[in-house]
Amino acid sequence: MRYMKAKKVDMIFVYGKCRQIMREAVRLYAERFPDRVHPSFSVFSSIIKTFQETGSVYNKKCKRIKKATNNENSTNILAAIALNPYISTKQLERESDINRNWVNEFKRGRTSTCNALRLGRPIEAATPEIIGKVHDIVLTDRRVKVRELVEAIGLSHWIKCIELKGDYVEK
């Protein structure tokens, strides 16, 4: 059974009150809180032990091993898929220490873990020429609107942010 944080704190206080004698603490907890479910000696002991080790009443965190996705691992995955395109995703994950999502991406045809170029509008705002033009316009009229800047410069879409001497003109 899982115990709420307040109940665990009560157990810790009772344990301290009983001069850190576990059996006495379990008995006193049952006397003080008759309406609650009484933890067994082992449950009470594990809650106290967790508190002593971590300083927290929360459960121990899972120490999950993070799997590395690097060029060497991705090359190994691509080679294994080339040799046997029907190899199991789970088997590749176990053998290469790469996350299953990445293994699936490689099986679908992805060749690198680097971000791929995406379709959409091209980025045209952050060139030195455009920043210079914006700077000149802002120096002549400090109350200029972003819409007016975009029209004056001739960009095809709104600029979200243009850097000006460490400040930003926002949309």
Side-chain angles (χ1 to χ4, degrees):
M1 173 177 200
R2 292 207 160 179
Y3 290 93
M4 302 298 287
K5 181 172 67 169
K7 292 180 182 179
K8 289 180 181 181
V9 170
D10 289 338
M11 289 180 206
I12 292 166
F13 281 129
V14 168
Y15 179 71
K17 182 82 172 163
C18 294
R19 298 177 314 275
Q20 300 180 352
I21 300 171
M22 195 68 66
R23 293 221 185 271
E24 195 175 315
V26 172
R27 184 190 53 74
L28 183 60
Y29 183 82
E31 285 177 15
R32 282 204 179 165
F33 304 103
D35 55 328
R36 293 184 185 174
V37 175
H38 304 135
S40 66
F41 179 83
S42 61
V43 170
F44 203 97
S45 173
S46 70
I47 289 171
I48 298 299
K49 183 179 178 187
T50 300
F51 179 72
Q52 288 171 338
E53 290 175 356
T54 64
S56 173
V57 294
Y58 294 111
N59 291 336
K60 295 177 188 173
K61 298 215 171 161
C62 177
K63 294 182 180 177
R64 182 177 61 103
I65 298 170
K66 294 187 178 182
K67 298 182 177 182
T69 307
N70 56 30
N71 288 337
E72 183 182 331
N73 284 349
S74 57
T75 305
N76 292 340
I77 290 285
L78 290 170
I81 292 171
L83 288 173
N84 181 7
Y86 303 106
I87 191 168
S88 131
T89 303
K90 195 178 257 187
Q91 181 182 352
L92 281 172
E93 178 189 21
R94 268 189 255 120
E95 290 174 358
S96 64
D97 264 355
I98 290 184
N99 184 309
R100 187 178 303 170
N101 294 333
W102 277 109
V103 172
N104 282 327
E105 286 290 322
F106 287 125
K107 285 182 95 174
R108 286 187 205 111
R110 189 165 180 160
T111 58
S112 171
T113 58
C114 298
N115 289 337
L117 292 176
R118 297 184 178 142
L119 297 176
R121 292 187 280 197
I123 300 170
E124 55 186 18
T127 63
E129 299 86 28
I130 292 175
I131 291 174
K133 288 180 185 177
V134 169
H135 190 264
D136 293 340
I137 294 170
V138 170
L139 285 178
T140 58
D141 181 13
R142 291 191 102 28
R143 295 180 179 221
V144 68
K145 294 180 175 54
V146 174
R147 179 176 29 89
E148 295 169 356
L149 281 173
V150 171
E151 290 170 2
I153 295 170
L155 295 175
S156 62
H157 61 277
W158 285 63
I159 303 169
K160 184 166 183 185
C161 288
I162 297 176
E163 187 173 347
L164 296 171
K165 289 187 177 179
D167 297 330
Y168 292 93
V169 176
E170 292 189 10
K171 175 175 158 183

